[in-house]
Amino acid sequence: MTPVLQVDGLVKHFPVSRGLIRRKVIGMVRAVEGVSFEIARGETLALVGESGCGKSTTGRLVLRLMDPTAGSVRFKGEEIANLDKGALRRLRRHMQIIFQDPYASLNPRMTVGEILMEPMVVHGLHSAVERADRVRELLDVVGLLPEQARRYPHQFSGGQRQRIGIARALAVNPDLIVCDEPVSALDVSIQAQIVNLLQNLQRRFGLSYLFIAHDLAVVKHISDRVAVMYLGKLVEIADKKTIYARPLHPYTQALLSAIPRPDPNGRRKRMLLAGDVPSPFAPPPGCRFNTRCPYAQARCREEEPVLRDAGQGHRVACHFFETLPAPAAATALGEVSAQFTARLAAFEAAKQARA
Ligand code: SF4
Protein backbone atom coordinates (compact mmCIF):
# COMPACT_ATOMS: atom_id res chain seq x y z
CA MET A 1 0.00 0.00 0.00
CA THR A 2 1.30 3.48 -0.85
CA PRO A 3 2.38 5.32 2.30
CA VAL A 4 0.46 8.49 3.15
CA LEU A 5 3.72 10.41 3.23
CA GLN A 6 7.10 9.72 1.62
CA VAL A 7 9.96 12.11 2.29
CA ASP A 8 13.17 11.57 0.38
CA GLY A 9 16.45 13.46 0.69
CA LEU A 10 14.80 16.60 2.10
CA VAL A 11 17.17 19.57 2.40
CA LYS A 12 16.60 23.10 3.71
CA HIS A 13 19.34 25.73 3.82
CA PHE A 14 18.70 29.27 5.02
CA PRO A 15 21.08 31.91 3.62
CA VAL A 16 22.79 34.12 6.19
CA SER A 17 23.46 37.59 4.87
CA ARG A 18 25.41 40.62 6.00
CA GLY A 19 25.79 44.27 5.04
CA LEU A 20 23.57 47.34 5.18
CA ILE A 21 20.89 45.90 2.96
CA ARG A 22 21.79 42.32 3.73
CA ARG A 23 22.85 41.60 0.20
CA LYS A 24 26.03 39.73 0.91
CA VAL A 25 25.37 36.06 1.64
CA ILE A 26 28.10 34.87 3.98
CA GLY A 27 26.97 31.31 4.45
CA MET A 28 24.12 28.88 4.96
CA VAL A 29 22.35 27.55 8.01
CA ARG A 30 21.97 23.87 7.17
CA ALA A 31 18.73 23.27 9.03
CA VAL A 32 17.74 20.01 7.32
CA GLU A 33 20.21 17.79 5.45
CA GLY A 34 18.97 14.82 3.45
CA VAL A 35 16.14 13.62 5.68
CA SER A 36 14.13 10.59 4.44
CA PHE A 37 11.23 8.71 6.03
CA GLU A 38 7.72 7.53 5.31
CA ILE A 39 4.46 7.31 7.24
CA ALA A 40 1.76 4.70 6.63
CA ARG A 41 -1.96 5.24 6.99
CA GLY A 42 -2.97 5.29 10.65
CA GLU A 43 0.66 5.39 11.78
CA THR A 44 2.44 7.82 14.09
CA LEU A 45 6.05 8.62 13.39
CA ALA A 46 7.67 10.64 16.15
CA LEU A 47 10.46 13.01 15.14
CA VAL A 48 12.59 13.75 18.18
CA GLY A 49 15.70 15.72 19.04
CA GLU A 50 16.92 18.75 20.95
CA SER A 51 15.81 22.31 20.14
CA GLY A 52 17.26 23.55 16.87
CA CYS A 53 17.85 20.08 15.39
CA GLY A 54 15.58 20.84 12.41
CA LYS A 55 12.52 18.81 13.38
CA SER A 56 10.01 21.68 13.21
CA THR A 57 11.53 22.87 9.92
CA THR A 58 11.03 19.34 8.59
CA GLY A 59 7.38 19.48 9.64
CA ARG A 60 6.88 22.75 7.80
CA LEU A 61 8.62 21.43 4.69
CA VAL A 62 6.32 18.40 4.69
CA LEU A 63 3.33 20.76 4.60
CA ARG A 64 5.03 23.04 2.05
CA LEU A 65 4.69 25.95 4.47
CA MET A 66 8.20 26.65 3.21
CA ASP A 67 9.94 25.54 0.04
CA PRO A 68 12.68 22.90 0.30
CA THR A 69 16.17 23.55 -1.04
CA ALA A 70 16.17 20.00 -2.43
CA GLY A 71 14.45 16.67 -1.99
CA SER A 72 11.07 15.16 -2.52
CA VAL A 73 7.83 15.06 -0.51
CA ARG A 74 5.10 12.77 -1.84
CA PHE A 75 1.63 12.77 -0.33
CA LYS A 76 -0.34 9.63 -1.26
CA GLY A 77 2.13 9.14 -4.09
CA GLU A 78 1.83 12.71 -5.47
CA GLU A 79 4.91 14.92 -5.49
CA ILE A 80 4.06 18.18 -3.74
CA ALA A 81 7.35 20.05 -4.16
CA ASN A 82 6.31 21.43 -7.56
CA LEU A 83 2.59 22.06 -7.04
CA ASP A 84 1.20 25.50 -7.94
CA LYS A 85 -0.74 27.55 -5.37
CA GLY A 86 -4.18 26.25 -6.34
CA ALA A 87 -3.15 22.60 -6.23
CA LEU A 88 -1.34 23.20 -2.96
CA ARG A 89 -4.43 24.77 -1.40
CA ARG A 90 -6.53 21.76 -2.41
CA LEU A 91 -3.90 19.45 -0.97
CA ARG A 92 -3.72 21.34 2.34
CA ARG A 93 -7.21 20.15 3.12
CA HIS A 94 -5.71 16.70 3.61
CA MET A 95 -2.62 17.81 5.57
CA GLN A 96 -3.09 19.85 8.71
CA ILE A 97 -0.95 21.07 11.60
CA ILE A 98 -1.40 21.40 15.35
CA PHE A 99 0.92 24.03 16.82
CA GLN A 100 2.86 24.05 20.06
CA ASP A 101 1.33 27.22 21.50
CA PRO A 102 -2.45 26.80 21.45
CA TYR A 103 -3.01 30.43 22.43
CA ALA A 104 -0.78 32.08 19.82
CA SER A 105 -2.23 29.89 17.08
CA LEU A 106 -5.85 30.93 17.69
CA ASN A 107 -7.14 34.31 16.53
CA PRO A 108 -8.17 36.12 19.75
CA ARG A 109 -10.79 38.21 17.88
CA MET A 110 -12.70 35.21 16.59
CA THR A 111 -15.09 33.02 18.54
CA VAL A 112 -14.32 29.33 18.69
CA GLY A 113 -17.20 28.69 16.29
CA GLU A 114 -15.70 31.10 13.75
CA ILE A 115 -12.24 29.57 14.21
CA LEU A 116 -13.58 26.09 13.49
CA MET A 117 -15.66 27.24 10.54
CA GLU A 118 -12.81 29.12 8.86
CA PRO A 119 -11.04 26.08 7.31
CA MET A 120 -14.38 24.82 5.95
CA VAL A 121 -15.03 28.23 4.36
CA VAL A 122 -11.50 28.40 2.89
CA HIS A 123 -11.94 24.97 1.29
CA GLY A 124 -15.57 25.56 0.26
CA LEU A 125 -16.94 22.69 2.34
CA HIS A 126 -20.58 22.36 3.37
CA SER A 127 -23.48 24.83 3.53
CA ALA A 128 -23.75 27.39 6.36
CA VAL A 129 -26.17 25.14 8.28
CA GLU A 130 -23.95 22.07 7.83
CA ARG A 131 -20.92 24.06 9.02
CA ALA A 132 -22.72 25.02 12.22
CA ASP A 133 -23.61 21.35 12.78
CA ARG A 134 -20.02 20.37 12.07
CA VAL A 135 -18.74 22.90 14.66
CA ARG A 136 -20.96 21.31 17.32
CA GLU A 137 -19.80 17.85 16.27
CA LEU A 138 -16.12 18.86 16.37
CA LEU A 139 -16.43 20.37 19.84
CA ASP A 140 -18.07 17.16 21.02
CA VAL A 141 -15.34 15.03 19.43
CA VAL A 142 -12.59 16.89 21.33
CA GLY A 143 -14.48 16.89 24.62
CA LEU A 144 -15.84 20.46 24.66
CA LEU A 145 -19.44 21.64 24.90
CA PRO A 146 -21.39 22.88 21.86
CA GLU A 147 -22.36 26.11 23.68
CA GLN A 148 -18.65 26.95 24.05
CA ALA A 149 -18.62 27.82 20.33
CA ARG A 150 -19.66 31.36 21.26
CA ARG A 151 -16.68 31.95 23.54
CA TYR A 152 -13.29 33.45 22.70
CA PRO A 153 -9.89 31.68 23.07
CA HIS A 154 -8.90 33.67 26.18
CA GLN A 155 -11.88 32.19 28.02
CA PHE A 156 -10.36 28.71 27.88
CA SER A 157 -7.53 26.96 29.73
CA GLY A 158 -4.34 25.88 27.92
CA GLY A 159 -5.55 22.29 27.56
CA GLN A 160 -8.95 23.42 26.24
CA ARG A 161 -7.25 25.73 23.73
CA GLN A 162 -5.19 22.82 22.46
CA ARG A 163 -8.43 20.85 22.07
CA ILE A 164 -9.73 23.73 19.94
CA GLY A 165 -6.52 23.58 17.87
CA ILE A 166 -7.09 19.86 17.34
CA ALA A 167 -10.74 20.42 16.40
CA ARG A 168 -9.64 23.05 13.86
CA ALA A 169 -7.21 20.57 12.31
CA LEU A 170 -9.99 17.95 12.10
CA ALA A 171 -12.51 20.37 10.56
CA VAL A 172 -11.55 19.45 6.99
CA ASN A 173 -11.18 15.67 7.49
CA PRO A 174 -7.42 15.45 6.96
CA ASP A 175 -5.40 12.27 6.37
CA LEU A 176 -2.17 13.55 7.90
CA ILE A 177 -1.62 15.88 10.85
CA VAL A 178 1.76 17.35 11.73
CA CYS A 179 1.69 17.71 15.51
CA ASP A 180 4.43 20.24 16.27
CA GLU A 181 5.23 19.83 19.98
CA PRO A 182 1.48 19.82 20.73
CA VAL A 183 1.84 19.18 24.46
CA SER A 184 5.13 20.92 25.30
CA ALA A 185 3.42 24.09 26.54
CA LEU A 186 0.93 22.22 28.73
CA ASP A 187 0.99 21.02 32.33
CA VAL A 188 2.03 17.40 32.72
CA SER A 189 -1.46 16.34 33.85
CA ILE A 190 -3.02 17.96 30.77
CA GLN A 191 -0.38 16.46 28.44
CA ALA A 192 -1.69 12.95 29.11
CA GLN A 193 -5.26 14.01 28.31
CA ILE A 194 -4.23 15.55 24.97
CA VAL A 195 -2.08 12.55 24.03
CA ASN A 196 -5.00 10.22 24.83
CA LEU A 197 -7.34 12.41 22.78
CA LEU A 198 -4.96 12.31 19.79
CA GLN A 199 -4.76 8.52 20.05
CA ASN A 200 -8.55 8.14 20.22
CA LEU A 201 -9.01 10.41 17.21
CA GLN A 202 -6.39 8.46 15.29
CA ARG A 203 -8.23 5.18 15.89
CA ARG A 204 -11.59 6.74 15.05
CA PHE A 205 -10.60 8.56 11.85
CA GLY A 206 -7.57 6.55 10.63
CA LEU A 207 -5.29 9.58 10.92
CA SER A 208 -1.55 9.55 10.32
CA TYR A 209 0.61 11.72 12.58
CA LEU A 210 4.06 13.22 12.25
CA PHE A 211 4.54 13.88 15.96
CA ILE A 212 7.36 16.35 16.60
CA ALA A 213 8.65 16.37 20.17
CA HIS A 214 11.71 16.62 22.33
CA ASP A 215 10.21 14.64 25.21
CA LEU A 216 10.88 10.94 24.73
CA ALA A 217 8.59 10.03 27.61
CA VAL A 218 5.61 11.59 25.78
CA VAL A 219 6.67 10.06 22.47
CA LYS A 220 6.66 6.59 24.03
CA HIS A 221 2.92 6.80 24.57
CA ILE A 222 1.87 7.88 21.12
CA SER A 223 4.39 6.72 18.51
CA ASP A 224 4.57 3.58 16.39
CA ARG A 225 8.04 4.44 15.12
CA VAL A 226 10.63 6.97 16.24
CA ALA A 227 13.09 8.97 14.12
CA VAL A 228 15.87 10.76 15.99
CA MET A 229 17.34 13.96 14.53
CA TYR A 230 20.62 15.64 15.38
CA LEU A 231 21.80 18.87 13.80
CA GLY A 232 19.61 18.53 10.70
CA LYS A 233 20.18 14.82 10.07
CA LEU A 234 18.39 11.61 10.98
CA VAL A 235 20.71 9.52 13.13
CA GLU A 236 18.42 6.62 13.98
CA ILE A 237 14.99 5.34 13.03
CA ALA A 238 13.18 2.25 14.28
CA ASP A 239 9.90 1.03 15.66
CA LYS A 240 9.14 2.25 19.16
CA LYS A 241 9.83 -1.02 20.96
CA THR A 242 13.24 -1.39 19.34
CA ILE A 243 14.39 2.16 19.90
CA TYR A 244 13.51 2.16 23.59
CA ALA A 245 14.84 -1.33 24.26
CA ARG A 246 17.92 -1.32 21.99
CA PRO A 247 19.00 2.21 20.97
CA LEU A 248 22.15 1.86 18.88
CA HIS A 249 23.19 5.46 18.21
CA PRO A 250 25.06 7.12 21.10
CA TYR A 251 22.86 10.22 20.75
CA THR A 252 19.66 8.20 21.12
CA GLN A 253 21.19 6.44 24.10
CA ALA A 254 21.99 9.80 25.65
CA LEU A 255 18.46 11.13 25.06
CA LEU A 256 16.96 8.04 26.64
CA SER A 257 19.33 8.15 29.55
CA ALA A 258 18.25 11.72 30.23
CA ILE A 259 14.56 10.96 30.66
CA PRO A 260 13.89 12.27 34.16
CA ARG A 261 12.34 9.90 36.65
CA PRO A 262 11.95 9.93 40.38
CA ASP A 263 14.69 7.78 41.91
CA PRO A 264 14.08 5.79 45.07
CA ASN A 265 15.14 8.82 47.13
CA GLY A 266 12.68 11.08 45.40
CA ARG A 267 15.32 12.94 43.38
CA ARG A 268 15.34 13.40 39.64
CA LYS A 269 18.29 12.67 37.37
CA ARG A 270 19.84 15.44 35.30
CA MET A 271 20.10 15.72 31.49
CA LEU A 272 23.34 13.96 30.77
CA LEU A 273 24.57 15.13 27.36
CA ALA A 274 27.87 16.98 27.59
CA GLY A 275 28.64 20.16 25.65
CA ASP A 276 26.46 22.32 23.41
CA VAL A 277 24.89 21.47 20.08
CA PRO A 278 27.25 22.87 17.40
CA SER A 279 25.89 25.62 15.14
CA PRO A 280 24.05 24.43 12.02
CA PHE A 281 25.85 27.37 10.33
CA ALA A 282 29.14 25.49 10.70
CA PRO A 283 28.44 21.85 11.54
CA PRO A 284 31.50 19.77 12.45
CA PRO A 285 33.04 17.71 9.65
CA GLY A 286 32.46 13.97 9.60
CA CYS A 287 29.84 12.75 12.03
CA ARG A 288 27.95 15.76 13.35
CA PHE A 289 27.78 14.20 16.79
CA ASN A 290 31.55 13.71 17.10
CA THR A 291 32.09 16.78 19.33
CA ARG A 292 29.80 15.27 21.99
CA CYS A 293 30.15 11.57 21.41
CA PRO A 294 31.99 9.57 24.08
CA TYR A 295 32.97 6.98 21.45
CA ALA A 296 34.31 9.33 18.75
CA GLN A 297 37.39 8.15 16.86
CA ALA A 298 39.55 9.70 14.14
CA ARG A 299 37.30 8.34 11.37
CA CYS A 300 34.30 10.08 12.95
CA ARG A 301 35.93 13.50 12.41
CA GLU A 302 36.65 12.81 8.73
CA GLU A 303 33.88 10.68 7.29
CA GLU A 304 30.17 11.30 7.57
CA PRO A 305 28.24 8.16 8.55
CA VAL A 306 25.18 7.20 6.48
CA LEU A 307 22.04 5.51 7.77
CA ARG A 308 22.74 1.78 7.69
CA ASP A 309 20.46 -1.17 8.18
CA ALA A 310 20.56 -2.74 11.63
CA GLY A 311 17.77 -5.21 10.84
CA GLN A 312 13.95 -5.15 10.81
CA GLY A 313 13.67 -1.57 9.61
CA HIS A 314 16.09 -0.28 12.25
CA ARG A 315 18.58 2.15 10.66
CA VAL A 316 21.49 3.89 12.34
CA ALA A 317 23.98 6.55 11.19
CA CYS A 318 27.10 5.59 13.14
CA HIS A 319 30.32 4.04 11.83
CA PHE A 320 30.67 1.80 14.82
CA PHE A 321 27.21 0.90 16.05
CA GLU A 322 27.89 -2.86 15.63
CA THR A 323 30.90 -2.76 17.92
CA LEU A 324 29.95 -0.14 20.51
CA PRO A 325 29.20 -1.38 24.00
CA ALA A 326 25.48 -1.86 24.43
CA PRO A 327 24.03 0.14 27.27
CA ALA A 328 20.69 -0.61 25.66
CA ALA A 329 20.32 -3.80 27.62
CA ALA A 330 20.40 -1.76 30.80
CA THR A 331 18.30 1.10 29.42
CA ALA A 332 14.67 0.24 29.90
CA LEU A 333 12.45 3.23 29.14
CA GLY A 334 12.47 5.77 31.90
CA GLU A 335 15.57 4.39 33.55
CA VAL A 336 18.83 6.25 33.59
CA SER A 337 21.69 4.18 32.21
CA ALA A 338 24.39 4.12 34.87
CA GLN A 339 26.81 2.71 32.30
CA PHE A 340 26.27 5.63 29.98
CA THR A 341 26.52 8.15 32.79
CA ALA A 342 29.86 6.67 33.78
CA ARG A 343 31.12 6.75 30.20
CA LEU A 344 30.12 10.37 29.79
CA ALA A 345 31.85 11.27 33.03
CA ALA A 346 35.00 9.47 31.85
CA PHE A 347 34.76 11.23 28.49
CA GLU A 348 34.46 14.62 30.19
CA ALA A 349 37.38 13.87 32.49
CA ALA A 350 39.54 12.80 29.53
CA LYS A 351 38.54 15.96 27.65
CA GLN A 352 39.49 18.18 30.58
CA ALA A 353 42.79 16.33 30.98
CA ARG A 354 43.59 16.98 27.30
CA ALA A 355 42.72 20.70 27.61
FE1 SF4 B 1 29.99 8.65 17.75
FE2 SF4 B 1 31.58 8.17 15.67
FE3 SF4 B 1 29.25 6.94 15.84
FE4 SF4 B 1 29.36 9.53 15.32
S1 SF4 B 1 30.12 7.88 14.03
S2 SF4 B 1 28.00 8.55 16.75
S3 SF4 B 1 31.09 10.20 16.56
S4 SF4 B 1 31.00 6.72 17.24
Coordinates of all heavy atoms in Angstrom, one line a residue, residues 187-221:
D187 N 0.6 21.7 31.1 CA 1.0 21.0 32.3 C 1.1 19.5 32.1 O 0.3 19.0 31.2 CB -0.1 21.3 33.4 CG -0.1 22.7 33.9 OD1 0.9 23.4 33.6 OD2 -1.0 23.1 34.5
V188 N 1.9 18.8 32.9 CA 2.0 17.4 32.7 C 0.7 16.7 32.8 O 0.4 15.7 32.0 CB 3.0 16.9 33.8 CG1 3.1 15.3 33.7 CG2 4.4 17.5 33.6
S189 N -0.2 17.1 33.7 CA -1.5 16.3 33.9 C -2.3 16.5 32.6 O -3.0 15.6 32.2 CB -2.2 16.9 35.1 OG -2.4 18.3 34.9
I190 N -2.2 17.7 32.0 CA -3.0 18.0 30.8 C -2.4 17.2 29.6 O -3.1 16.8 28.6 CB -3.1 19.5 30.5 CG1 -3.6 20.2 31.7 CG2 -4.0 19.8 29.3 CD1 -4.9 19.9 32.2
Q191 N -1.1 17.1 29.6 CA -0.4 16.5 28.4 C -1.0 15.1 28.2 O -1.2 14.7 27.0 CB 1.1 16.3 28.8 CG 1.9 17.6 28.7 CD 3.4 17.4 28.9 OE1 3.8 16.3 29.2 NE2 4.2 18.4 28.8
A192 N -1.2 14.3 29.3 CA -1.7 13.0 29.1 C -3.1 13.0 28.5 O -3.4 12.1 27.6 CB -1.7 12.3 30.5
Q193 N -3.9 13.9 28.9 CA -5.3 14.0 28.3 C -5.2 14.3 26.8 O -5.9 13.7 26.0 CB -6.1 15.1 29.0 CG -6.4 14.9 30.4 CD -7.0 16.1 31.0 OE1 -7.6 17.0 30.4 NE2 -7.0 16.2 32.4
I194 N -4.3 15.2 26.4 CA -4.2 15.6 25.0 C -3.7 14.4 24.2 O -4.1 14.1 23.1 CB -3.4 16.8 24.8 CG1 -4.0 18.0 25.5 CG2 -3.2 17.1 23.3 CD1 -5.4 18.4 24.9
V195 N -2.7 13.7 24.7 CA -2.1 12.5 24.0 C -3.1 11.5 23.9 O -3.3 10.9 22.8 CB -0.8 12.0 24.8 CG1 -0.4 10.6 24.3 CG2 0.3 13.0 24.6
N196 N -3.9 11.2 24.9 CA -5.0 10.2 24.8 C -6.0 10.6 23.8 O -6.5 9.8 23.0 CB -5.7 10.0 26.2 CG -4.8 9.2 27.1 OD1 -3.9 8.6 26.7 ND2 -5.1 9.3 28.4
L197 N -6.4 11.9 23.8 CA -7.3 12.4 22.8 C -6.8 12.2 21.4 O -7.5 11.7 20.5 CB -7.6 13.9 23.0 CG -8.5 14.6 22.0 CD1 -9.9 14.0 21.9 CD2 -8.5 16.1 22.2
L198 N -5.5 12.5 21.1 CA -5.0 12.3 19.8 C -5.0 10.8 19.4 O -5.3 10.5 18.2 CB -3.5 12.8 19.8 CG -3.4 14.4 19.8 CD1 -1.9 14.8 20.0 CD2 -3.9 15.0 18.5
Q199 N -4.7 10.0 20.3 CA -4.8 8.5 20.0 C -6.2 8.1 19.7 O -6.4 7.3 18.8 CB -4.2 7.7 21.3 CG -2.7 7.8 21.3 CD -2.2 7.0 22.5 OE1 -2.7 7.2 23.6 NE2 -1.2 6.2 22.3
N200 N -7.2 8.5 20.5 CA -8.5 8.1 20.2 C -9.0 8.6 18.8 O -9.7 7.9 18.1 CB -9.5 8.7 21.3 CG -9.3 8.1 22.6 OD1 -8.8 7.0 22.7 ND2 -9.7 8.7 23.7
L201 N -8.6 9.9 18.5 CA -9.0 10.4 17.2 C -8.3 9.6 16.1 O -8.9 9.4 15.0 CB -8.6 11.9 17.1 CG -9.4 12.8 18.1 CD1 -8.8 14.2 18.1 CD2 -10.9 12.8 17.8
Q202 N -7.1 9.2 16.3 CA -6.4 8.5 15.3 C -7.1 7.1 15.0 O -7.3 6.8 13.8 CB -5.0 8.2 15.8 CG -4.1 7.4 14.7 CD -2.7 7.3 15.1 OE1 -2.4 7.0 16.3 NE2 -1.8 7.6 14.2
R203 N -7.5 6.5 16.1 CA -8.2 5.2 15.9 C -9.6 5.4 15.2 O -10.0 4.7 14.3 CB -8.5 4.5 17.2 CG -7.2 3.8 17.8 CD -7.6 2.9 18.9 NE -7.9 3.7 20.1 CZ -7.0 4.1 21.0 NH1 -5.7 3.7 20.9 NH2 -7.3 4.8 22.1
R204 N -10.2 6.5 15.6 CA -11.6 6.7 15.0 C -11.6 7.2 13.6 O -12.4 6.7 12.8 CB -12.2 7.8 15.9 CG -13.7 8.1 15.7 CD -14.2 8.9 16.8 NE -15.5 9.5 16.4 CZ -16.2 10.3 17.2 NH1 -15.8 10.7 18.3 NH2 -17.4 10.8 16.7
F205 N -10.6 8.0 13.2 CA -10.6 8.6 11.8 C -9.5 8.0 11.0 O -9.3 8.5 9.8 CB -10.5 10.1 11.9 CG -11.7 10.7 12.7 CD1 -11.4 11.4 13.9 CD2 -13.0 10.6 12.2 CE1 -12.5 11.9 14.6 CE2 -14.0 11.2 13.0 CZ -13.8 11.8 14.1
G206 N -8.7 7.1 11.5 CA -7.6 6.6 10.6 C -6.5 7.6 10.3 O -5.9 7.5 9.2
L207 N -6.2 8.5 11.2 CA -5.3 9.6 10.9 C -3.8 9.1 11.0 O -3.5 8.2 11.7 CB -5.5 10.7 12.0 CG -6.8 11.4 12.0 CD1 -6.9 12.2 13.3 CD2 -7.0 12.3 10.8
S208 N -3.0 9.8 10.2 CA -1.5 9.6 10.3 C -1.0 10.8 11.0 O -1.4 11.9 10.7 CB -0.9 9.4 8.9 OG -1.5 8.3 8.3
Y209 N 0.0 10.6 11.9 CA 0.6 11.7 12.6 C 2.1 11.8 12.3 O 2.8 10.7 12.4 CB 0.4 11.6 14.1 CG -1.0 11.7 14.6 CD1 -1.4 11.0 15.7 CD2 -1.9 12.6 14.1 CE1 -2.7 11.1 16.2 CE2 -3.2 12.8 14.6 CZ -3.6 12.0 15.7 OH -4.8 12.1 16.2
L210 N 2.6 13.0 12.1 CA 4.1 13.2 12.2 C 4.1 14.0 13.6 O 3.7 15.2 13.6 CB 4.6 14.0 11.1 CG 6.1 14.5 11.2 CD1 7.0 13.2 11.3 CD2 6.5 15.3 10.1
F211 N 4.6 13.3 14.6 CA 4.5 13.9 16.0 C 5.9 14.4 16.3 O 6.8 13.6 16.6 CB 4.1 12.8 16.9 CG 3.7 13.3 18.3 CD1 2.4 13.7 18.6 CD2 4.6 13.4 19.3 CE1 2.0 14.1 19.8 CE2 4.3 13.9 20.6 CZ 3.0 14.2 20.8
I212 N 6.1 15.7 16.3 CA 7.4 16.4 16.6 C 7.5 16.7 18.1 O 6.6 17.3 18.7 CB 7.5 17.6 15.8 CG1 7.5 17.3 14.3 CG2 8.7 18.4 16.1 CD1 7.3 18.5 13.4
A213 N 8.5 16.2 18.7 CA 8.7 16.4 20.2 C 10.1 16.3 20.6 O 10.9 15.7 19.9 CB 7.8 15.3 20.9
H214 N 10.4 16.8 21.8 CA 11.7 16.6 22.3 C 11.6 15.7 23.6 O 12.7 15.3 24.1 CB 12.4 18.0 22.7 CG 11.6 18.7 23.8 ND1 10.6 19.6 23.5 CD2 11.8 18.6 25.1 CE1 10.2 20.0 24.7 NE2 10.8 19.5 25.6
D215 N 10.4 15.4 24.0 CA 10.2 14.6 25.2 C 10.0 13.2 24.9 O 8.9 12.8 24.4 CB 9.0 15.2 26.0 CG 8.8 14.6 27.3 OD1 9.3 13.5 27.5 OD2 8.1 15.2 28.1
L216 N 11.0 12.4 25.1 CA 10.9 10.9 24.7 C 9.9 10.2 25.6 O 9.4 9.1 25.2 CB 12.3 10.3 24.8 CG 13.1 10.5 23.6 CD1 14.6 10.3 23.9 CD2 12.7 9.6 22.5
A217 N 9.6 10.7 26.8 CA 8.6 10.0 27.6 C 7.2 10.2 27.0 O 6.4 9.3 27.0 CB 8.6 10.6 29.0
V218 N 6.9 11.4 26.4 CA 5.6 11.6 25.8 C 5.5 10.8 24.5 O 4.5 10.1 24.2 CB 5.4 13.1 25.5 CG1 4.2 13.3 24.6 CG2 5.3 13.9 26.7
V219 N 6.6 10.8 23.8 CA 6.7 10.1 22.5 C 6.4 8.6 22.7 O 5.7 7.9 21.8 CB 8.1 10.3 21.8 CG1 8.4 9.2 20.8 CG2 8.2 11.7 21.3
K220 N 6.8 8.0 23.8 CA 6.7 6.6 24.0 C 5.2 6.2 24.0 O 4.8 5.1 23.6 CB 7.3 6.3 25.4 CG 7.2 4.8 25.7 CD 6.5 4.6 27.1 CE 6.3 3.2 27.4 NZ 5.4 3.0 28.5
H221 N 4.3 7.1 24.5 CA 2.9 6.8 24.6 C 2.2 6.9 23.2 O 1.2 6.2 23.1 CB 2.2 7.8 25.6 CG 2.7 7.5 27.0 ND1 2.2 6.4 27.7 CD2 3.6 8.1 27.8 CE1 2.8 6.4 28.9 NE2 3.6 7.5 28.9

